Coordinates of all heavy atoms in Angstrom, one line a residue:
Q1 N 73.1 29.6 -9.3 CA 71.9 30.1 -10.0 C 72.3 31.2 -11.0 O 71.6 31.4 -12.0 CB 70.9 30.6 -9.0 CG 70.3 29.4 -8.2 CD 69.4 29.9 -7.0 OE1 69.8 30.7 -6.2 NE2 68.2 29.3 -6.9
E2 N 73.3 32.0 -10.6 CA 73.7 33.1 -11.5 C 74.7 32.7 -12.6 O 75.1 33.6 -13.3 CB 74.2 34.3 -10.7 CG 73.2 34.9 -9.7 CD 73.8 36.0 -8.8 OE1 75.0 36.2 -8.9 OE2 73.0 36.6 -8.1
K3 N 75.0 31.4 -12.6 CA 75.9 30.8 -13.6 C 77.2 31.6 -13.7 O 77.7 32.1 -14.7 CB 75.2 30.8 -15.0 CG 73.9 30.0 -15.0 CD 73.4 29.9 -16.4 CE 72.1 29.1 -16.4 NZ 72.0 27.8 -15.7
Q4 N 77.8 31.7 -12.5 CA 79.1 32.5 -12.4 C 80.4 31.7 -12.7 O 81.5 32.2 -12.6 CB 79.2 33.1 -11.0 CG 78.2 34.2 -10.7 CD 78.4 34.8 -9.4 OE1 79.5 34.8 -8.8 NE2 77.4 35.4 -8.8
G5 N 80.2 30.4 -13.1 CA 81.4 29.6 -13.4 C 82.0 29.0 -12.2 O 81.4 28.4 -11.4
L6 N 83.3 29.1 -12.1 CA 84.1 28.5 -11.0 C 84.3 29.6 -9.9 O 84.9 30.7 -10.1 CB 85.5 28.0 -11.5 CG 86.4 27.5 -10.4 CD1 85.9 26.2 -9.8 CD2 87.8 27.3 -11.0
K7 N 83.9 29.3 -8.7 CA 84.1 30.1 -7.5 C 84.7 29.3 -6.4 O 84.3 28.1 -6.2 CB 82.8 30.8 -7.1 CG 82.0 31.5 -8.2 CD 82.8 32.7 -8.7 CE 82.8 33.9 -7.7 NZ 83.4 35.1 -8.2
I8 N 85.5 30.0 -5.6 CA 86.1 29.3 -4.4 C 85.9 30.2 -3.2 O 86.2 31.4 -3.2 CB 87.6 29.1 -4.6 CG1 87.9 28.2 -5.9 CG2 88.3 28.4 -3.4 CD1 89.3 28.1 -6.3
Y9 N 85.5 29.6 -2.1 CA 85.3 30.4 -0.9 C 85.8 29.6 0.4 O 85.5 28.4 0.5 CB 83.8 30.7 -0.6 CG 83.2 31.5 -1.7 CD1 82.4 30.9 -2.7 CD2 83.4 32.9 -1.8 CE1 81.8 31.6 -3.7 CE2 82.8 33.6 -2.8 CZ 82.0 33.0 -3.8 OH 81.5 33.7 -4.8
N10 N 86.4 30.3 1.3 CA 86.7 29.8 2.6 C 85.4 30.0 3.4 O 84.8 31.1 3.4 CB 87.8 30.6 3.3 CG 89.2 30.2 2.7 OD1 89.4 29.2 2.2 ND2 90.1 31.2 2.9
L11 N 85.1 29.0 4.2 CA 84.0 29.2 5.2 C 84.6 28.9 6.6 O 85.0 27.8 6.9 CB 82.8 28.2 5.0 CG 82.1 28.4 3.7 CD1 80.9 27.4 3.6 CD2 81.6 29.8 3.5
G12 N 84.7 30.0 7.4 CA 85.2 29.9 8.7 C 84.9 31.1 9.5 O 84.2 32.0 9.0
T13 N 85.3 31.2 10.7 CA 85.0 32.4 11.6 C 86.1 33.4 11.5 O 85.9 34.6 11.9 CB 84.9 31.9 13.1 OG1 86.2 31.5 13.5 CG2 83.9 30.8 13.3
G14 N 87.3 33.0 11.0 CA 88.4 33.9 11.0 C 89.2 34.0 12.3 O 90.1 34.8 12.4
K15 N 88.8 33.2 13.2 CA 89.4 33.2 14.5 C 90.0 31.9 14.9 O 89.3 30.8 14.7 CB 88.4 33.6 15.6 CG 87.8 35.0 15.4 CD 86.6 35.2 16.4 CE 86.0 36.5 16.2 NZ 84.8 36.7 17.0
G16 N 91.2 31.8 15.3 CA 91.9 30.6 15.7 C 91.6 30.3 17.2 O 91.6 31.2 18.1
T17 N 91.3 29.0 17.5 CA 91.0 28.5 18.8 C 91.8 27.3 19.1 O 91.8 26.4 18.3 CB 89.5 28.2 19.0 OG1 88.7 29.3 18.7 CG2 89.2 27.7 20.4
S18 N 92.6 27.3 20.1 CA 93.4 26.1 20.4 C 92.6 25.0 21.0 O 91.4 25.2 21.5 CB 94.5 26.5 21.4 OG 94.0 26.6 22.7
V19 N 93.1 23.8 21.1 CA 92.4 22.7 21.7 C 92.1 23.0 23.2 O 91.0 22.8 23.6 CB 93.3 21.4 21.6 CG1 92.6 20.2 22.3 CG2 93.5 21.0 20.1
L20 N 93.1 23.5 23.9 CA 92.8 23.9 25.3 C 91.8 25.0 25.4 O 91.0 25.0 26.4 CB 94.2 24.3 26.0 CG 95.0 23.1 26.4 CD1 96.4 23.6 27.0 CD2 94.3 22.2 27.5
D21 N 91.8 26.0 24.5 CA 90.8 27.0 24.5 C 89.4 26.4 24.4 O 88.5 26.8 25.0 CB 91.0 28.0 23.4 CG 92.2 28.9 23.6 OD1 92.6 29.1 24.7 OD2 92.7 29.4 22.6
L22 N 89.3 25.4 23.5 CA 88.0 24.8 23.2 C 87.5 24.0 24.5 O 86.4 24.1 24.8 CB 88.1 23.8 22.0 CG 86.8 23.2 21.6 CD1 85.8 24.2 21.0 CD2 87.1 22.1 20.5
V23 N 88.5 23.3 25.1 CA 88.1 22.6 26.3 C 87.6 23.5 27.4 O 86.6 23.3 28.1 CB 89.3 21.7 26.8 CG1 89.0 21.1 28.2 CG2 89.6 20.6 25.8
K24 N 88.3 24.6 27.6 CA 87.9 25.6 28.6 C 86.5 26.2 28.2 O 85.7 26.5 29.1 CB 89.0 26.7 28.7 CG 90.2 26.2 29.3 CD 91.4 27.3 29.2 CE 92.7 26.7 29.8 NZ 93.8 27.7 29.5
A25 N 86.3 26.5 26.9 CA 85.0 27.1 26.5 C 83.9 26.1 26.8 O 82.8 26.4 27.2 CB 85.1 27.4 25.0
Y26 N 84.2 24.8 26.6 CA 83.2 23.7 26.8 C 82.8 23.7 28.3 O 81.7 23.6 28.7 CB 83.8 22.4 26.4 CG 82.7 21.3 26.2 CD1 82.2 21.0 25.0 CD2 82.3 20.5 27.3 CE1 81.3 20.0 24.8 CE2 81.4 19.5 27.1 CZ 80.9 19.2 25.9 OH 79.9 18.2 25.7
D27 N 83.9 23.8 29.2 CA 83.7 23.8 30.6 C 82.8 25.0 31.0 O 81.8 24.8 31.8 CB 85.0 23.9 31.4 CG 85.9 22.6 31.2 OD1 85.3 21.6 30.7 OD2 87.0 22.7 31.6
E28 N 83.1 26.1 30.4 CA 82.4 27.3 30.7 C 80.9 27.3 30.3 O 80.0 27.6 31.0 CB 83.1 28.5 30.1 CG 82.3 29.9 30.3 CD 82.9 31.0 29.4 OE1 84.1 30.9 29.0 OE2 82.2 31.9 29.1
A29 N 80.7 26.8 29.0 CA 79.4 26.8 28.5 C 78.4 25.8 29.2 O 77.2 26.1 29.3 CB 79.5 26.4 27.0
N30 N 79.0 24.7 29.7 CA 78.1 23.7 30.2 C 78.3 23.4 31.7 O 77.7 22.4 32.2 CB 78.4 22.4 29.4 CG 78.1 22.6 27.9 OD1 77.1 23.1 27.5 ND2 79.1 22.4 27.1
N31 N 79.1 24.2 32.4 CA 79.4 24.0 33.8 C 79.8 22.6 34.1 O 79.3 21.9 34.9 CB 78.2 24.4 34.6 CG 78.5 24.5 36.1 OD1 79.6 24.8 36.5 ND2 77.5 24.3 36.9
I32 N 80.8 22.1 33.3 CA 81.3 20.8 33.4 C 82.8 20.8 33.3 O 83.4 21.7 32.8 CB 80.7 19.9 32.3 CG1 80.8 18.4 32.6 CG2 81.3 20.3 30.9 CD1 79.9 17.6 31.6
Q33 N 83.5 19.8 33.9 CA 84.9 19.7 33.9 C 85.4 18.5 33.0 O 85.1 17.4 33.4 CB 85.5 19.5 35.3 CG 87.0 19.9 35.5 CD 87.2 21.4 35.4 OE1 86.3 22.2 35.9 NE2 88.3 21.8 34.9
I34 N 86.0 18.8 31.9 CA 86.4 17.7 31.0 C 87.8 17.3 31.4 O 88.7 18.0 31.4 CB 86.4 18.2 29.5 CG1 85.0 18.6 29.0 CG2 87.0 17.1 28.6 CD1 84.0 17.4 29.0
K35 N 87.9 16.0 31.7 CA 89.2 15.4 32.1 C 90.0 15.2 30.8 O 89.5 14.6 29.8 CB 89.0 14.1 32.8 CG 90.2 13.4 33.3 CD 89.9 12.1 34.0 CE 91.2 11.4 34.4 NZ 90.9 10.0 35.0
Y36 N 91.3 15.6 30.8 CA 92.1 15.4 29.7 C 93.5 15.1 30.1 O 94.0 15.3 31.2 CB 92.1 16.6 28.8 CG 92.7 17.9 29.3 CD1 94.1 18.1 29.2 CD2 92.0 18.8 30.0 CE1 94.7 19.2 29.8 CE2 92.6 20.0 30.5 CZ 93.9 20.2 30.4 OH 94.5 21.3 31.0
Q37 N 94.3 14.5 29.1 CA 95.7 14.2 29.3 C 96.4 14.6 28.0 O 95.8 14.7 26.9 CB 95.9 12.7 29.6 CG 95.4 11.8 28.4 CD 95.5 10.3 28.8 OE1 95.7 9.9 29.9 NE2 95.4 9.4 27.8
I38 N 97.7 14.8 28.1 CA 98.5 15.2 26.9 C 99.2 13.9 26.3 O 99.8 13.2 27.0 CB 99.5 16.2 27.3 CG1 98.9 17.4 27.9 CG2 100.4 16.6 26.0 CD1 98.0 18.2 27.0
G39 N 99.0 13.8 25.0 CA 99.6 12.7 24.3 C 100.6 13.2 23.3 O 100.8 14.4 23.1
P40 N 101.2 12.3 22.5 CA 102.2 12.7 21.5 C 101.4 13.4 20.3 O 100.2 13.2 20.1 CB 102.8 11.4 21.0 CG 101.9 10.3 21.4 CD 101.2 10.8 22.6
R41 N 102.1 14.1 19.5 CA 101.5 14.7 18.3 C 101.0 13.6 17.4 O 101.4 12.4 17.4 CB 102.6 15.5 17.5 CG 103.1 16.7 18.1 CD 103.9 17.5 17.1 NE 104.5 18.7 17.7 CZ 105.2 19.6 17.0 NH1 105.2 19.5 15.7 NH2 105.7 20.7 17.6
R42 N 100.0 14.0 16.6 CA 99.3 13.0 15.7 C 99.8 13.3 14.3 O 99.9 14.4 13.8 CB 97.8 13.2 15.8 CG 97.0 12.2 14.9 CD 95.5 12.4 15.2 NE 95.1 13.7 14.9 CZ 93.8 14.1 15.1 NH1 92.9 13.3 15.5 NH2 93.4 15.4 14.8

């Protein structure tokens, strides 16, 4: 709206969370146990 031309922004929290961290947070938030297995890299 202010006609500033070209602008670039990151949108994030600034905090890194691992896959296992996320699974644990999900368990904690919802009182549930997510079953998981480890596979090869993608």
